[in-house]
Amino acid sequence: MSLDYRAPLRDMRFVIDEWIDAPAWWRSVPAWEDLDSAMAQQVLEEAARFVTERIAPLNSAGDLEGCRFENGEVLTPTGFREAYEGFVAAGWPTLALDVDAGGQGLPQLLEVALQEMLAAANHAWLMSPGLTHGATACLLAHGSDAMRRDWLPKIASGEWLTTMCLTEPQAGSDLALLRARATADAAHDAWRIDGNKIFISGGDHDLTDNIVHLVLARLPDAPTGTKGLSLFVVPKWIVDDSSGKRVANGVHCEGIEKKMGLKASPTCSMRFEQALGWLVGEPHRGLASMFVMMNAARLQVAMQGVGHAQLACQRAHAYAHERVQMRAVSAPANYGGEPGQAAPIALHPAMRRILLDLRSTVEGERAIGYWIGYWLDVAARHPHAGERQAASQLASLLTPIAKAFFTANGFAAASSALQVFGGYGYIHEYGVEQTVRDSRVAMLYEGTNEIQGIDLLVRKVLGDGGEALRALLAHITGEAARCAASGDCALRDAGVRLDALAASVQRVTNEIEQGSASDRELPYRVADDYLALLGWLLLAFAWARTLRIALNAPVDDPFYAEKRITAHYFFAYPLAAFDHRLKLIEAGCRASLPYAGQAFVD
Amino acid sequence: MSLDYRAPLRDMRFVIDEWIDAPAWWRSVPAWEDLDSAMAQQVLEEAARFVTERIAPLNSAGDLEGCRFENGEVLTPTGFREAYEGFVAAGWPTLALDVDAGGQGLPQLLEVALQEMLAAANHAWLMSPGLTHGATACLLAHGSDAMRRDWLPKIASGEWLTTMCLTEPQAGSDLALLRARATADAAHDAWRIDGNKIFISGGDHDLTDNIVHLVLARLPDAPTGTKGLSLFVVPKWIVDDSSGKRVANGVHCEGIEKKMGLKASPTCSMRFEQALGWLVGEPHRGLASMFVMMNAARLQVAMQGVGHAQLACQRAHAYAHERVQMRAVSAPANYGGEPGQAAPIALHPAMRRILLDLRSTVEGERAIGYWIGYWLDVAARHPHAGERQAASQLASLLTPIAKAFFTANGFAAASSALQVFGGYGYIHEYGVEQTVRDSRVAMLYEGTNEIQGIDLLVRKVLGDGGEALRALLAHITGEAARCAASGDCALRDAGVRLDALAASVQRVTNEIEQGSASDRELPYRVADDYLALLGWLLLAFAWARTLRIALNAPVDDPFYAEKRITAHYFFAYPLAAFDHRLKLIEAGCRASLPYAGQAFVD
């Protein structure tokens, strides 16, 4: 039994080539005329090799060793720096960056797959390069010419790492409460930044020779609230004008947090004291610039959820096939043999339920997550502006769903997998408990999952009068119609069911919209359940299309046989959660929600 | 804001005096003629004082310090030994032990409340005395006269601590696979035990001068399987016959596990090498003797789930009322004021949902958990054998439900509370992440939650032809009828709903029973959902009766006002989970469940 991470290359190929049929789209893009399925596979195989050989082996050891904070500096665990150097040397940071900007210009779709692998292999290690793409995108969009000339190449290539400095002790989800301030420094044609930031991932470390902080702070004339925030580039090291030498900027790491997980990733408290900073974009418009970073980051976080679920799923499968306990009550038809005196626990019904739950979740999510990557590519590369706009709108609608739904499922998957391991799951050496601890943070950062629910329902569904949602539902009902027209009765049922789910979503959305007119709180009461409802709809979409494809595949190919089994299982069991969420939303439309009061304890 | 644990004495009094009306029953028991509500409260107040002053302050520090394993011995964290000495000196171990056996003879109901407090305050510390009652009950029922004379007083009083040595590397849930063996030692009129045991809580420690292990092993003529297991008492230290001096027995701790949580509780690997042991009960009947320990332990574990949920709930409430972020979208009717520019997050709908979920779960569970304690008292003290038997059957049916449902909810509650804390929840110092880690083990030990599901459905519901279930449903429909006869329309609805839930449970149980005839696997496919279904039924029972009581209480007493609010919330939102579980069971009755196969990864 091996519990080492192995990249699910076969399923990745299935999603890219068959579920999405990305190669067909690539052929229509001039820049990608050389890109085909085989080449994409080669890229992913190389990524898998790097990730499994260099990154994954540091995961458990990094958790045990953790980071150290000594003399105001952060030391990362053994091997992290070397692995990071290898990552940069191999060019992985620039995989999907435009060729014009010094990148390799490959599809975001492949970048999404790479992110999944990295998160599964070593989430803590991934935290360091996690903001490279966001910072790159932000400077490309809003940076001055000088920034793009002097700093961008180093940031984009990963030579220098970056951070996103938003949170302050009094300001977490509510950025309006930020206090960090900027005052003019005419001598340097720049600004001086003062303030305290907390929860800064990679605020200090020993991986790169410089660290570039992107900091939100207020100019002297700034209005209150979020419309008074400006964004600054604040490097740890700067070049002294007179001497030409490298000197320390006023950026101080004051300590690292003791956390539940991600112990190999330093979460820093930062103090900026008269630190030189340069304005990115327009004054008071920093939040808009920062959102470029945050949207990219949210899809990455969604893929962390998929990575955690994948790692948990494959470990649970491996263990359940190896561990022998108790005679099985039955021999399932597709087991192909009688179980002996004591059987692998993979045969016991309770374990089969968990294993199939894990699999139907992670494989369905992979299809949806990669589909978002595909739409980002369409949004960036399609020749027609209307198509670009539609794709962008769709990706923007899907991102908060993926962020919150996949991360909640990633944590739940890790906990379910732990249950398969029994008492061994609670012990560090099997690795599952680490995944439970590491995965939990993804429900909190880059906007808590509750913030995602509000972003989805209030901003993206109700905010545009339901236009983006209708576009999504059109994709889904299209698939439903194709399935419903099938001669296979399970696929026909899946198609009819999928169509009904889409209709339920439209109906309950209308109900929320109408109710909101007289009850402003309504969408906020139901936002989390609404997000999960769309999550289950998307998984149903994923499995309906998967079943349709798998029914056309050779009958004796075990890969497709298992896809058919898992699809049948998904529609029979887990999808019941859709109805559960629908009931909760209906309850929220009907019932008031009191204030929870103070708990009485004595 | 205080995040210190405070015992929920007000709610405990409500459950004992009003929900159960235990004092009425105590008055009918000769031994308890002096026991009334005031005296019970006094006991619980003293317990709360001891627990909050002596035990709770060691929780976070114990987690940080952990246990050490040095030179073959285990050292527990600073303060643990002193706290344990205080616990024994105050007589807490013998609270509910019969007066004849040297105890204080108080009701099990109060013991259950004490267990809840200890688990909430410091689960890891509780692990050490956790087996005292089980070992005491086991020796009282099955020990020889010599054992009861020489060892029992020291064990019952807590002077010596005990362990339960079942698990071996190859034998976790499946005790049939145990290999430890016993060979006769005629010279000592005893047995020599050899074998390896793992996951032994408190297998070694520095809290008491001796440790008494209860060990399952096989006699030379033992049949294979679970019917060949015998139970032995194996002390760490024994008295040498010739010298009269204390010498080490062949009991060796070989190391402690690095675990997800419970870091202050040593989980030991034990090696027994020619260790002298004395047979408890009859040869080959060790499992029956051990079950006396395990049943007592299962209710304790259930109360750990309640304790974790309580701690998580009160911390989330405290934090949500203190933390100010964003303007509230609305001012709930019962808030009593307009929220300001930025409001306590307790006002935000998503947080209100979580806070009310936590509260409705923990307060409902408390009623059910204490009700089980009450039935144990009836089973032990009622003058009529028939009543004792019925009470025992009911407690036995309820115990696996409470063990699995409460522990799963305890972990979920801790994770939900962590979400209320946002990023701070992921940091050690707020304590919530420790509760997530500590609570997770309760779903695994004392029989995994999946084992509880099988115990409930296969052994206790189907095994007796549904008799115990019908007795439970009679209690529930009785309450439903009282509620349905009310003039209050919400209570009437609750009564009608509760009656319908009970009918659904009976109907689906019949369906499972009928289906099992031709499909042996069926109950195993649905056992976990069935257990959760009964869990939700019991919470509905708890809240219906609570609402009935609260409607008769003074309108302006805020305690009952919050009970009414929480009851309304429970029926409007969380109880939707009953229907979800029912659907999953119906799916299990209908659909086959394939074998999950091997996950394809590359």
Side-chain angles (χ1 to χ4, degrees):
Chain A
M1 173 182 62
S2 165
L3 297 178
D4 295 344
Y5 171 64
R6 288 189 296 159
L9 291 170
R10 180 67 190 88
D11 200 45
M12 290 177 169
R13 174 152 61 94
F14 167 76
V15 171
I16 294 170
D17 288 1
E18 299 188 83
W19 200 95
I20 298 176
D21 193 7
W25 141 251
W26 295 338
R27 281 191 291 277
S28 74
V29 179
W32 292 336
E33 56 187 2
D34 295 337
L35 181 64
D36 61 6
S37 167
M39 184 175 156
Q41 286 314 307
Q42 209 183 333
V43 171
L44 293 183
E45 279 164 25
E46 272 179 50
R49 192 174 314 119
F50 181 82
V51 164
T52 50
E53 287 175 7
R54 301 289 304 274
I55 309 294
L58 305 174
N59 194 31
S60 175
D63 183 60
L64 287 174
E65 185 180 344
C67 292
R68 280 172 298 149
F69 178 66
E70 287 176 8
N71 306 318
E73 304 219 317
V74 173
L75 306 171
T76 58
T78 308
F80 271 47
R81 186 181 167 106
E82 293 73 15
Y84 183 70
E85 286 168 354
F87 184 71
V88 172
W92 292 115
T94 61
L95 185 75
L97 185 66
D98 274 1
V99 173
D100 298 346
Q104 301 170 56
L106 286 166
Q108 285 294 335
L109 173 54
L110 298 183
E111 173 67 34
V112 169
L114 173 63
Q115 290 292 328
E116 182 204 319
M117 289 188 222
L118 289 167
N122 194 332
H123 183 181
W125 182 90
L126 170 62
M127 292 301 290
S128 292
L131 286 165
T132 293
H133 297 133
T136 302
C138 177
L139 291 187
L140 273 172
H142 301 287
S144 66
D145 289 345
M147 286 175 190
R148 282 188 289 197
R149 185 190 61 226
D150 298 340
W151 292 334
L152 188 57
K154 288 183 160 57
I155 289 170
S157 68
E159 183 182 338
W160 289 356
L161 279 168
T162 45
T163 77
M164 184 158 75
C165 295
L166 285 76
T167 305
E168 298 176 11
Q170 77 292 348
S173 296
D174 190 355
L175 298 175
L177 303 176
L178 289 181
R179 291 182 196 145
R181 61 189 194 283
T183 44
D185 179 339
H188 291 87
D189 193 18
W191 300 85
R192 292 283 178 177
I193 311 295
D194 288 278
N196 293 297
K197 298 284 179 180
I198 60 167
F199 299 163
I200 307 306
S201 295
D204 193 54
H205 55 70
D206 52 5
L207 302 180
T208 52
D209 296 337
N210 204 352
I211 302 171
V212 177
H213 304 280
L214 283 153
V215 184
L216 279 183
R218 292 182 190 281
L219 295 173
D221 61 339
T224 58
T226 53
K227 292 191 176 133
L229 298 172
S230 303
L231 184 66
F232 299 86
V233 172
V234 184
K236 178 180 177 183
W237 298 97
I238 49 176
V239 176
D240 182 57
D241 291 341
S242 51
S243 68
K245 282 194 179 151
R246 185 175 124 127
V247 295
N249 201 356
V251 181
H252 309 279
C253 175
E254 303 211 298
I256 58 177
E257 304 287 354
K258 178 168 169 62
K259 307 190 297 296
M260 181 182 190
L262 291 193
K263 289 176 186 288
S265 166
T267 302
C268 303
S269 302
M270 305 298 294
R271 180 167 52 83
F272 293 89
E273 197 177 311
Q274 289 285 299
L276 270 175
W278 288 264
L279 186 68
V280 184
E282 292 171 43
H284 315 320
R285 302 264 308 145
L287 209 55
S289 308
M290 198 62 128
F291 267 125
V292 174
M293 291 183 78
M294 286 170 70
N295 272 333
R298 283 178 182 178
L299 180 55
Q300 284 181 29
V301 174
M303 297 318 295
Q304 290 165 9
V306 180
H308 292 131
Q310 173 65 37
L311 182 65
C313 177
Q314 55 178 245
R315 284 181 163 164
H317 270 79
Y319 185 78
H321 284 88
E322 173 100 358
R323 176 74 169 171
V324 166
Q325 292 282 283
M326 311 226 241
R327 183 194 285 270
V329 67
S330 58
N334 64 321
Y335 176 59
E338 279 297 314
Q341 270 293 100
I345 61 171
L347 280 186
H348 297 313
M351 297 297 108
R352 273 147 58 199
R353 284 283 300 273
I354 293 179
L355 295 173
L356 284 162
D357 279 345
L358 289 170
R359 195 150 173 181
S360 62
T361 301
V362 70
E363 294 180 7
E365 287 180 352
R366 180 168 298 117
I368 302 302
Y370 290 17
W371 197 52
I372 303 176
Y374 161 78
W375 288 115
L376 289 177
D377 286 326
V378 176
R381 307 260 183 179
H382 201 282
H384 302 298
E387 296 289 327
R388 289 200 302 275
Q389 160 65 14
S392 173
Q393 193 180 34
L394 199 53
S396 162
L397 179 75
L398 290 167
T399 299
I401 306 174
K403 193 281 183 184
F405 190 65
F406 294 2
T407 58
N409 290 342
F411 176 67
S415 179
S416 294
L418 193 156
Q419 198 68 16
V420 172
F421 279 77
Y424 289 103
Y426 204 63
I427 306 299
H428 185 272
E429 70 182 284
Y430 291 84
V432 195
E433 68 89 19
Q434 185 186 343
T435 305
V436 176
R437 290 184 289 104
D438 287 351
S439 63
R440 186 62 182 80
V441 76
M443 297 166 68
L444 302 166
Y445 66 15
E446 299 304 336
T448 65
N449 282 5
E450 289 73 22
I451 298 282
Q452 307 297 325
I454 295 169
D455 178 48
L456 171 70
L457 178 53
V458 178
R459 257 187 87 227
K460 291 179 176 166
V461 171
L462 303 179
D464 78 351
E467 187 189 309
L469 178 68
R470 280 190 296 275
L472 172 63
L473 294 181
H475 282 283
I476 291 173
T477 51
E479 181 61 50
R482 281 190 289 280
C483 295
S486 163
D488 178 87
C489 94
L491 183 59
R492 212 162 50 229
D493 286 354
V496 171
R497 181 103 175 266
L498 184 61
D499 197 67
L501 300 181
S504 294
V505 166
Q506 187 61 67
R507 180 184 55 70
V508 82
T509 307
N510 295 344
E511 202 177 320
I512 294 167
E513 190 167 18
Q514 284 151 23
S516 308
S518 59
D519 176 2
R520 276 197 60 218
E521 183 189 283
L522 197 167
Y524 296 85
R525 279 203 299 273
V526 301
D528 293 317
D529 292 311
Y530 187 85
L531 186 148
L533 185 83
L534 290 199
W536 287 108
L537 173 70
L538 289 168
L539 287 190
F541 170 48
W543 280 110
R545 180 175 287 185
T546 298
L547 182 59
R548 181 166 62 78
I549 297 167
L551 283 167
N552 283 319
V555 202
D556 56 350
D557 183 330
F559 177 81
Y560 296 99
E562 299 228 340
K563 284 289 188 197
R564 290 190 293 272
I565 284 173
T566 311
H568 293 151
Y569 175 79
F570 175 81
F571 284 101
Y573 292 88
L575 188 53
F578 180 94
D579 295 330
H580 182 214
R581 294 296 183 164
L582 191 61
K583 278 208 178 172
L584 287 170
I585 296 168
E586 287 165 351
C589 288
R590 246 187 348 254
S592 69
L593 176 64
Y595 164 71
Q598 293 283 357
F600 285 86
V601 292
D602 42 24
Chain B
M1 171 181 64
S2 166
L3 297 178
D4 294 344
Y5 171 64
R6 289 191 295 161
L9 291 170
R10 180 66 190 89
D11 200 45
M12 290 176 168
R13 173 150 63 90
F14 167 75
V15 171
I16 294 170
D17 288 3
E18 298 188 83
W19 199 96
I20 296 176
D21 193 6
W25 141 250
W26 295 338
R27 282 191 291 276
S28 73
V29 179
W32 292 337
E33 56 188 0
D34 295 336
L35 181 64
D36 62 4
S37 167
M39 185 175 155
Q41 285 316 306
Q42 211 182 331
V43 171
L44 294 183
E45 279 164 25
E46 272 179 50
R49 193 175 313 120
F50 181 82
V51 164
T52 51
E53 288 176 6
R54 301 289 304 274
I55 310 296
L58 305 174
N59 194 32
S60 176
D63 182 59
L64 287 174
E65 185 179 344
C67 293
R68 280 172 297 149
F69 178 66
E70 286 177 7
N71 308 318
E73 304 219 315
V74 173
L75 306 170
T76 58
T78 310
F80 271 47
R81 185 180 167 107
E82 293 72 16
Y84 183 71
E85 285 167 354
F87 185 71
V88 172
W92 292 115
T94 62
L95 185 76
L97 186 65
D98 275 1
V99 174
D100 300 347
Q104 302 169 56
L106 285 166
Q108 284 296 335
L109 173 53
L110 299 183
E111 174 66 35
V112 169
L114 173 63
Q115 290 293 328
E116 180 202 320
M117 289 188 223
L118 289 167
N122 194 332
H123 183 182
W125 182 90
L126 170 62
M127 292 301 290
S128 292
L131 286 166
T132 293
H133 298 132
T136 302
C138 177
L139 291 186
L140 273 171
H142 301 287
S144 66
D145 290 345
M147 286 174 190
R148 282 187 290 196
R149 186 189 60 224
D150 298 340
W151 291 336
L152 189 57
K154 289 181 160 56
I155 289 170
S157 68
E159 184 183 338
W160 289 356
L161 278 169
T162 44
T163 77
M164 185 158 75
C165 294
L166 284 76
T167 304
E168 298 176 10
Q170 78 291 351
S173 296
D174 190 356
L175 297 175
L177 302 176
L178 289 181
R179 291 183 196 145
R181 60 189 196 282
T183 44
D185 179 339
H188 292 87
D189 192 19
W191 300 85
R192 292 284 178 177
I193 311 295
D194 288 277
N196 294 297
K197 298 284 179 180
I198 60 167
F199 299 164
I200 308 306
S201 295
D204 193 54
H205 55 70
D206 52 5
L207 302 178
T208 53
D209 296 337
N210 204 353
I211 302 171
V212 177
H213 304 279
L214 284 153
V215 184
L216 278 184
R218 293 183 189 280
L219 296 173
D221 61 339
T224 57
T226 54
K227 291 188 176 137
L229 298 172
S230 302
L231 184 65
F232 299 87
V233 172
V234 184
K236 177 180 178 183
W237 299 95
I238 49 176
V239 176
D240 181 58
D241 290 342
S242 50
S243 67
K245 281 192 179 153
R246 183 174 124 127
V247 294
N249 200 356
V251 181
H252 309 279
C253 175
E254 304 212 298
I256 58 177
E257 304 287 353
K258 177 166 172 63
K259 306 190 299 295
M260 181 182 190
L262 291 193
K263 289 177 187 287
S265 166
T267 302
C268 304
S269 302
M270 304 298 295
R271 180 168 50 84
F272 293 88
E273 196 177 310
Q274 289 285 302
L276 270 175
W278 287 266
L279 186 68
V280 184
E282 291 170 46
H284 314 320
R285 304 263 307 144
L287 209 56
S289 308
M290 198 62 129
F291 267 125
V292 174
M293 292 184 79
M294 285 171 72
N295 272 334
R298 284 180 179 177
L299 180 55
Q300 285 180 29
V301 175
M303 297 318 294
Q304 290 164 9
V306 180
H308 292 131
Q310 173 65 34
L311 182 64
C313 177
Q314 55 180 244
R315 284 181 163 165
H317 270 79
Y319 185 78
H321 284 88
E322 174 100 357
R323 175 75 169 171
V324 166
Q325 291 283 282
M326 310 228 240
R327 183 194 286 269
V329 65
S330 57
N334 64 322
Y335 176 60
E338 280 297 314
Q341 270 293 100
I345 61 170
L347 280 186
H348 297 313
M351 296 297 108
R352 273 147 58 199
R353 284 283 299 276
I354 294 178
L355 294 173
L356 284 162
D357 278 344
L358 289 171
R359 195 152 175 179
S360 62
T361 301
V362 70
E363 295 180 8
E365 287 180 352
R366 179 169 297 117
I368 301 302
Y370 290 16
W371 198 51
I372 302 176
Y374 161 79
W375 287 115
L376 290 177
D377 286 327
V378 175
R381 307 262 183 177
H382 201 283
H384 302 300
E387 297 288 327
R388 289 199 300 275
Q389 161 64 16
S392 173
Q393 193 180 33
L394 199 52
S396 162
L397 178 75
L398 290 167
T399 298
I401 306 174
K403 192 281 182 184
F405 190 65
F406 294 3
T407 58
N409 290 342
F411 175 68
S415 179
S416 294
L418 193 156
Q419 199 68 14
V420 172
F421 279 77
Y424 289 103
Y426 204 63
I427 305 299
H428 185 272
E429 71 182 282
Y430 291 83
V432 194
E433 68 87 21
Q434 184 186 342
T435 305
V436 176
R437 289 185 289 104
D438 288 351
S439 63
R440 186 62 182 81
V441 77
M443 297 166 69
L444 301 167
Y445 66 15
E446 298 304 338
T448 66
N449 283 5
E450 289 72 24
I451 297 282
Q452 308 297 324
I454 294 169
D455 179 48
L456 171 69
L457 178 53
V458 179
R459 257 186 88 226
K460 292 180 176 164
V461 171
L462 303 179
D464 77 352
E467 188 188 309
L469 178 68
R470 280 190 296 275
L472 172 64
L473 293 182
H475 282 283
I476 291 172
T477 53
E479 181 61 51
R482 281 190 290 279
C483 296
S486 162
D488 178 86
C489 94
L491 183 59
R492 213 163 47 230
D493 286 353
V496 171
R497 180 103 176 264
L498 184 61
D499 197 67
L501 300 181
S504 293
V505 166
Q506 187 61 69
R507 178 183 57 69
V508 81
T509 307
N510 296 344
E511 202 176 322
I512 293 168
E513 191 168 18
Q514 284 151 22
S516 309
S518 59
D519 176 1
R520 276 198 58 219
E521 183 189 283
L522 197 166
Y524 296 85
R525 280 203 298 272
V526 301
D528 292 317
D529 293 312
Y530 186 86
L531 186 147
L533 186 82
L534 290 198
W536 288 108
L537 174 70
L538 288 168
L539 287 191
F541 170 48
W543 280 110
R545 180 174 286 184
T546 299
L547 182 58
R548 182 166 62 78
I549 297 166
L551 284 168
N552 284 319
V555 202
D556 55 352
D557 183 328
F559 177 81
Y560 296 99
E562 298 229 340
K563 284 290 189 197
R564 289 190 293 273
I565 284 173
T566 312
H568 294 151
Y569 175 79
F570 175 80
F571 284 101
Y573 291 88
L575 188 53
F578 180 94
D579 295 330
H580 182 215
R581 294 295 183 165
L582 191 61
K583 278 208 179 173
L584 287 170
I585 297 169
E586 287 164 351
C589 288
R590 244 185 351 253
S592 70
L593 176 65
Y595 163 70
Q598 294 281 358
F600 285 86
V601 292
D602 44 24

